[in-house]
Amino acid sequence: KRLFLRDPRRAWYLRGLPGVGDDAASLEAALRETIGQSGCRRVVMAGASAGGFAALRFGARLGADRVLAFSPQTFIDARGRGREGDGRWPDQIAALHAALGPDDPALDLANDLRAAAGVRLDVHVSTDDPLDLVHARRLGGIPGVAVHEHVGGGHKLVKWLRDAGKLGSLLAEALSEGARARDPATVERSGEASGDR
C-alpha cells in the first residue's frame, strides 16, 4: 500500500494540498484518516529535501513506525535561515513566510521531533553539502533521530543513492517489520572513503 504526495505550492507541505485543504492541519487529518482506513500494519514515510521536511514533520506527528528523510530542511524560519546563511529557494520561502509568518513554530521541526515518542527518524545527508549538514546535524541529539552522513551525492543524495543501487535496500529495511533498532542518538558516516554501513 503506497501513497505518493507532491506539493505543487512548493510550500514544504505546510499550506496543504489542492483538493485536501489549505493548511498543514488539513493534510495531517487527511493522512491520519488514510492511514486508519488502509489497514496497514506499519507506516513508513520518506521524502527528499522539502519532502524530507514533510516526512519528518508528519511522521513525527502521526506516530509513524519509521521515517526516512534525505537532505531535508529542518528549519525554514527567518531567524534560523538568517543565522545559518541559508538563502536557498528565496521565492518559495518568501511566499511561505507571507502565508504563515516568518517565525511560525511550524517552520522549525525540532519541537515536533522532540515530542515524537517511539518514532525512528533516519536523516540521510551528504557531507558534500554544508547547508544540508547544518540542517541534519542539529537534530543529532534529539531522541529517536539517527543522522547518516554519506560521502557523495550533494543535495541530490537520494538520486545518488538510487543510482548507486543503495536506495532500494534502505527502503526495504525500513518497510521490514523486523527492522532492527539502532541507537537513535548516533551519527553514522558512510561512503566510498569509509565504507558503507
Side-chain angles (χ1 to χ4, degrees), residues 72 74 123-125 131-140 145 147:
T74 64
V123 177
H124 292 266
V125 64
L131 283 173
D132 283 351
L133 276 173
V134 167
H135 281 267
R137 286 178 174 171
R138 70 187 288 264
L139 302 179
V145 175
V147 176

Side-chain angles (χ1 to χ4, degrees), residues 59-82:
R61 294 175 66 88
L62 294 171
D65 295 287
R66 185 83 172 270
V67 173
L68 295 177
F70 302 90
S71 310
Q73 293 79 64
T74 64
F75 57 88
I76 48 177
D77 59 303
R79 187 175 299 117
R81 282 171 55 87

Side-chain angles (χ1 to χ4, degrees), residues 34-109:
T34 299
I35 290 167
Q37 292 175 351
S38 73
C40 64
R41 294 183 312 243
R42 184 167 176 79
V43 175
V44 176
M45 295 190 177
S49 193
F53 177 96
L56 288 166
R57 183 179 200 276
F58 293 111
R61 294 175 66 88
L62 294 171
D65 295 287
R66 185 83 172 270
V67 173
L68 295 177
F70 302 90
S71 310
Q73 293 79 64
T74 64
F75 57 88
I76 48 177
D77 59 303
R79 187 175 299 117
R81 282 171 55 87
R83 181 181 61 245
E84 300 299 342
D86 190 346
R88 301 175 291 179
W89 312 292
D91 295 340
Q92 293 81 10
I93 291 290
L96 184 58
H97 287 180
L100 299 183
D103 292 302
D104 187 289
L107 301 174
D108 187 337
L109 289 178

Side-chain angles (χ1 to χ4, degrees), residues 3 5 7 9 11-35 45 57-58 61-62 100 106:
L3 175 65
L5 301 177
D7 181 5
R9 294 175 178 143
W12 284 259
Y13 295 81
L14 293 174
R15 295 179 60 208
L17 294 179
V20 174
D22 293 326
D23 56 23
S26 62
L27 177 54
E28 184 176 328
L31 287 170
R32 189 179 306 279
E33 181 179 357
T34 299
I35 290 167
M45 295 190 177
R57 183 179 200 276
F58 293 111
R61 294 175 66 88
L62 294 171
L100 299 183

